[in-house]
Amino acid sequence: MSTTYASSIPHLELSDLNDSLPGVQDALREMGKAVTDTGFDKQLIELVKIRVSQINGCAYCTQLHLNIARQLGVSQARLDLLAVWRETSRRYSRRERVALGWAEALADLAHRSIAADAYTDVSEEFTETELMALTVAIANINAWNRICGPLHFSPPEPTS
């Protein structure tokens, strides 16, 4: 029995999506812009996008948002430990921990429902508009992950 590894699958480029389905990238980017336009904390949004992309196994989105987070000034130490944020809680504020917990819950809706305490925590920590922005950002990165991951888009080069 042979095993097929992801490296043997041809990698596509993001431009292939736009060539095949014009407008999809623009629609997803507009969704992201709606979140940005609220003034929501950009560093926090990037941490959430990276964590969801890690969960979903999307190399393209993980690398893209690591690059953006670095540009926004997120420390390398915080990025290095993001996958295990629960074990390194002192590196992340309560607000960040609540947002990451919400992101993890929404990234895995197929296997579990949202626990009442997760909703209580996030609704106590964030205003209604912030909660909506955070939830839309998570939904948006999930959509990107479900496109870029399975189509094996080549990740961008890491930046420092």
Side-chain angles (χ1 to χ4, degrees):
M1 178 169 157
S2 67
T3 303
T4 302
Y5 295 97
S7 62
S8 65
I9 298 171
H11 285 248
L12 299 173
E13 300 303 325
L14 187 60
S15 60
D16 296 329
L17 175 62
N18 203 46
D19 293 345
S20 297
L21 292 169
V24 171
Q25 282 186 65
D26 291 340
L28 289 170
R29 286 187 176 132
E30 279 300 312
M31 194 173 173
K33 185 179 178 313
V35 172
T36 302
D37 288 350
T38 68
F40 199 92
D41 182 342
K42 291 178 183 178
Q43 288 188 0
L44 179 52
I45 289 295
E46 291 307 315
L47 290 175
V48 164
K49 288 178 179 180
I50 295 163
R51 184 66 193 120
V52 171
S53 297
Q54 290 171 334
I55 291 166
N56 289 329
C58 182
Y60 179 89
C61 293
T62 299
Q63 188 60 64
L64 175 71
H65 293 288
L66 282 167
N67 290 350
I68 294 169
R70 284 187 199 98
Q71 290 171 356
L72 292 172
V74 177
S75 75
Q76 190 61 48
R78 288 167 38 89
L79 295 174
D80 289 344
L81 294 172
L82 187 57
V84 292
W85 66 270
R86 289 179 193 277
E87 288 77 31
T88 58
S89 61
R90 67 186 169 101
R91 292 216 185 258
Y92 304 95
S93 69
R94 169 162 168 67
R95 186 171 174 87
E96 290 168 334
R97 292 190 312 272
V98 168
L100 290 166
W102 187 244
E104 288 183 353
L106 294 182
D108 193 26
L109 283 175
H111 296 100
R112 62 178 174 183
S113 60
I114 302 298
D117 59 337
Y119 183 80
T120 299
D121 287 349
V122 77
S123 63
E124 288 175 355
E125 191 65 38
F126 295 94
T127 67
E128 184 176 290
T129 300
E130 290 173 331
L131 174 56
M132 288 183 191
L134 178 60
T135 303
V136 168
I138 295 163
N140 187 242
I141 195 61
N142 268 298
W144 277 109
N145 292 165
R146 282 155 175 75
I147 295 168
C148 300
L151 295 177
H152 299 276
F153 288 172
S154 298
E157 290 298 315
T159 61
S160 53

